Amino acid sequence: MLTDVVLEPLGGQEATRAVIILHGLGDNGQGIMGLGEMMRMAMPNTVFLAPNAPFPCPYVPGGYQWFSSEDWTPHIILQGAQKAAAPLNEYIDHILETRKLAPSQVALVGFSQGTMMSLYVAPRRAEALAGVLGYSGALIGGTSLAQEKKSAPPVLLIHGTSDEVVPFKAMNNALEGLKAAGIEASAMACPGLGHTVDNDGLRQGVAFLKRVLG
């Protein structure tokens, strides 16, 4: 089971929904939980959970990765995502069971490599999650998505136009791939922004999560 960092609802409220945040390459659950802390005030009855990816990142002490960044050949990346999907699905199932939540009460938020995993896993789950919010990511396995899709949670992609790590064009490619597979998807470009999340992206992301989680 993936280890995680948990931010319980404000004021001791019972969680009626959950947001699972997936970190990027070389980061960890603690590092990405800053997003949850910023979203928490607007979503007080939500539990935020940030699992550590299953594999240590060899060049970042204390960091993890969903798959290796040593070879970006598409089929190698796809194999990496497929391998990481099993422990991630196990973790999502565990949260659903232990928190007594329906899939429609759980959303995924990803950053960079975490977005790639969110977009790969969510549509291939039998029951639709509430939605996927993806920052600065890309679509893996897009050519087979229409055939492998089992559900169609709504997606919002947010990406900086000056991203120096994952090129901005990855957002439009992902948008086209998701729509071609019959998934409701929208996107927001952040002019001049690099590989990070700004206040506008945070506000739009929170509005999306509140809409899909009800």
Side-chain angles (χ1 to χ4, degrees):
M1 181 60 61
L2 299 179
T3 57
D4 62 8
V5 175
V6 180
L7 194 61
E8 295 289 352
L10 287 170
Q13 298 183 61
E14 181 178 356
T16 58
R17 51 191 178 176
V19 171
I20 298 174
I21 309 176
L22 306 184
H23 65 76
L25 177 68
D27 200 359
N28 54 40
Q30 187 65 53
I32 198 66
M33 189 51 93
L35 267 180
E37 291 171 350
M38 289 185 285
M39 293 174 170
R40 190 186 193 194
M41 293 301 295
M43 304 175 67
N45 61 339
T46 303
V47 58
F48 291 87
L49 308 110
N52 295 312
F55 311 110
C57 187
Y59 49 84
V60 181
Y64 294 84
Q65 60 186 14
W66 296 98
F67 49 84
S68 174
S69 63
E70 293 181 1
D71 188 340
W72 285 95
T73 306
H75 78 275
I76 297 295
I77 294 299
L78 177 58
Q79 290 175 0
Q82 290 170 335
K83 184 177 181 181
L88 178 54
N89 274 312
E90 180 186 24
Y91 178 81
I92 296 171
D93 290 342
H94 172 74
I95 297 305
L96 291 171
E97 180 180 355
T98 57
R99 294 279 175 169
K100 295 180 172 55
L101 297 171
S104 61
Q105 295 173 296
V106 177
L108 297 184
V109 174
F111 178 76
S112 195
Q113 201 179 71
T115 293
M116 299 175 198
M117 287 306 304
S118 298
L119 295 178
Y120 182 81
V121 165
R124 291 171 172 84
R125 290 182 61 86
E127 295 186 72
L129 298 174
V132 176
L133 169 61
Y135 292 102
S136 306
L139 181 64
I140 296 174
T143 56
S144 61
L145 180 56
Q147 292 74 37
E148 297 174 358
K149 182 188 73 173
K150 296 179 181 178
S151 62
V155 174
L156 173 61
L157 304 173
I158 300 178
H159 210 126
T161 61
S162 299
D163 194 322
E164 69 282 6
V165 178
V166 181
F168 174 67
K169 65 180 181 181
M171 184 188 78
N172 288 326
N173 292 340
L175 191 64
E176 292 174 4
L178 292 166
K179 288 184 175 180
I183 296 172
E184 175 196 336
S186 57
M188 172 186 172
C190 299
L193 186 68
H195 195 63
T196 187
V197 179
D198 65 3
N199 288 333
D200 287 341
L202 180 65
R203 282 193 293 269
Q204 291 298 321
V206 168
F208 170 79
L209 290 174
K210 291 176 72 173
R211 177 174 68 82
V212 299
L213 284 167

